[in-house]
Amino acid sequence: MTRRTTLQSMIALAGGAVAAKGISSSAFAQENLTGSGEVRVYKAGGVWGDAQQATFFDAFEKATGIKVVGIPYIDDGAIRASVLAGEPAYDVAGMDGALVDSYVEQNLLEQIDYSYFRPGDREDFSPIPATPYLVPSLFYSMIIAFDSRAFPDKAPQTWTDMWNVEQFPGKRAIADAGNNVVGSAVFEIALLADGVDPKSIYPIDFDRAFKSLDKLKPSILRYWTAGAEPPQLLTDSQVSVTSAWNGRITALKAKNVPVDLSWNQAVLQWEGWSVLKGAKNKENAMKFLAFVAQPEPQAKFSEMIEYGPPNHKAFSFLNPDRTARLPGNPDSFKTQLVQDYSFWGAKGADGKRNAEKALDLWREWVTR
């Protein structure tokens, strides 16, 4: 079976699961969001991007007549520079929840026009709300992933286990905080590995976090920068344990690749959509956001990849077994550490945000 036919099968299954509830995800769009031209939208890589294409991009284009041009990842600095130059890299950008305040402060975002939205959809975003500048797009988790061939009897279940290279031998990989200081969740993970109670993670004790990282550093083979790296490192047996985003690992498990994960102490994260200042296709961008805010396409997306929907009504279109495996389901807020974006966006006495401080400290540490 080819990648294309596999994707088509996944789309059919996702659509069928939601359609069984008697839902037409395109009806509102056909009546209220039709238009012409295009909209340039951030498109992720791998299975995530496939799910976006099938359930958001293609469905929106079919319902409205507006072409979606998927634009791959561009780093934060380049996005800001593109807006300042008057040539925004996207109309609709994928926005890390920890960055949105600084974008607003620098006047780099358009206010979202919620008049395009179906009544009630904005209010159904819970517990992370849709704000004047950001519509949450998904929940995901930074989890402990491991090569199941390396641990046939007892596998690592906590970040402390990942740090314990004597009991769980092999090389390690963690995300490069220099590439994504907040999204990497490196500092939260290091403190959890050092035994800090999840309720006491914030404010981050950077001295303690780096002392914890010092203990793991001799065993770190790779500081990964792309979500595709951890599963590849595990598959190739280059590392035995790594941090990873849950969707990448569960996608491999579904193909019977010998990898596994632990949800214990997972760091629950979320991302959103924002419209960049000066977007060339601003009206189409608002229409796109109105479409993806609906629970029906969000449910279809979460059928294709194990990332959770931020519109809580989407869970009503998913079966209980699927819901239980999704980050952002009601129980996940009780069992996982919810990353505190307000901490990372807060400024210290020196005027620097905590994320900026952490980035400076990381760059000094990683080159030692």
Side-chain angles (χ1 to χ4, degrees):
M1 181 176 285
T2 67
R3 176 182 174 89
R4 180 177 178 82
T5 55
T6 300
L7 180 57
Q8 288 172 336
S9 298
M10 292 171 69
I11 297 168
L13 287 171
V18 178
K21 300 282 188 177
I23 294 300
S24 171
S25 63
S26 62
F28 174 78
Q30 290 172 337
E31 293 178 7
N32 299 278
L33 304 178
T34 55
S36 60
E38 67 180 28
V39 60
R40 295 164 57 85
V41 182
Y42 165 66
K43 182 180 179 181
V47 183
W48 179 0
D50 290 343
Q52 285 180 310
Q53 186 70 48
T55 63
F56 295 152
F57 299 176
D58 291 348
F60 175 75
E61 186 170 335
K62 182 178 180 181
T64 68
I66 298 168
K67 181 177 178 58
V68 178
V69 179
I71 307 295
Y73 173 80
I74 300 170
D75 69 54
D76 174 55
I79 294 174
R80 293 174 193 263
S82 75
V83 178
L84 293 172
E87 295 292 335
Y90 308 97
D91 296 315
V92 181
M95 185 63 58
D96 187 318
L99 296 177
V100 66
D101 286 347
S102 66
Y103 271 74
V104 173
E105 187 177 90
Q106 296 174 28
N107 195 31
L108 301 178
L109 299 179
E110 300 281 356
Q111 281 206 37
I112 295 167
D113 187 348
Y114 284 100
S115 69
Y116 286 96
F117 282 50
R118 185 169 63 181
D121 279 343
R122 180 183 182 181
E123 292 72 22
D124 289 334
F125 280 78
S126 174
I128 305 300
T131 72
Y133 293 95
L134 182 138
V135 177
S137 58
L138 55 83
F139 289 111
Y140 54 100
S141 293
M142 186 69 80
I143 47 85
I144 303 157
F146 54 89
D147 180 349
S148 54
R149 296 165 296 187
F151 308 107
D153 300 319
K154 183 180 180 182
Q157 295 298 306
T158 67
W159 297 112
T160 299
D161 290 343
M162 179 173 168
W163 258 240
N164 188 343
V165 294
E166 293 183 1
Q167 186 173 1
F168 302 99
K171 288 295 184 180
R172 304 296 197 252
I174 59 174
D176 183 357
N179 181 65
N180 188 342
V181 69
V182 180
S184 66
V186 162
F187 301 99
E188 289 90 346
I189 289 169
L191 292 174
L192 289 166
D194 202 43
V196 175
D197 187 307
K199 296 178 181 177
S200 302
I201 291 293
Y202 302 103
I204 295 286
D205 182 337
F206 289 109
D207 287 340
R208 184 169 179 176
F210 280 110
K211 287 178 181 177
S212 176
L213 287 165
D214 283 338
K215 297 173 186 176
L216 188 67
K217 195 173 188 179
S219 299
I220 297 175
L221 175 72
R222 179 81 58 84
Y223 300 101
W224 57 266
T225 58
E229 291 181 67
Q232 192 64 54
L233 291 169
L234 293 172
T235 302
D236 295 343
S237 297
Q238 294 186 61
V239 302
S240 60
V241 190
T242 179
S243 63
W245 283 308
N246 69 285
R248 297 282 187 168
I249 303 303
T250 54
L252 283 187
K253 283 189 65 179
K255 297 177 181 178
N256 296 316
V257 176
V259 298
D260 212 337
L261 72 160
S262 171
W263 287 100
N264 192 12
Q265 297 184 330
V267 180
L268 185 64
Q269 303 173 301
W270 55 273
E271 188 165 308
W273 303 108
S274 291
V275 178
L276 296 182
K277 194 74 172 181
K280 305 301 183 185
N281 304 288
K282 181 178 173 180
E283 181 178 353
N284 288 347
M286 301 304 173
K287 290 179 177 179
F288 176 81
L289 292 183
F291 180 83
V292 299
Q294 297 176 101
E296 301 91 345
Q298 288 191 21
K300 291 179 181 179
F301 176 83
S302 293
E303 285 282 1
M304 289 191 64
I305 187 170
E306 290 189 3
Y307 291 151
N311 183 324
H312 74 89
K313 284 192 174 177
F315 286 110
S316 67
F317 302 118
L318 297 164
N319 67 57
D321 288 342
R322 186 67 174 181
T323 293
R325 298 199 302 271
L326 293 175
N329 76 68
D331 288 338
S332 68
F333 286 92
K334 303 172 186 175
T335 60
Q336 299 184 36
L337 172 67
V338 180
Q339 194 163 40
D340 186 350
Y341 292 146
S342 62
F343 165 79
W344 287 110
K347 291 183 178 180
D350 59 358
K352 277 191 172 183
R353 297 183 187 278
N354 286 323
E356 296 173 291
K357 175 183 176 181
L359 181 58
D360 290 342
L361 292 170
W362 172 266
R363 287 172 172 165
E364 190 277 326
W365 176 84
V366 80
T367 55
R368 276 190 286 193

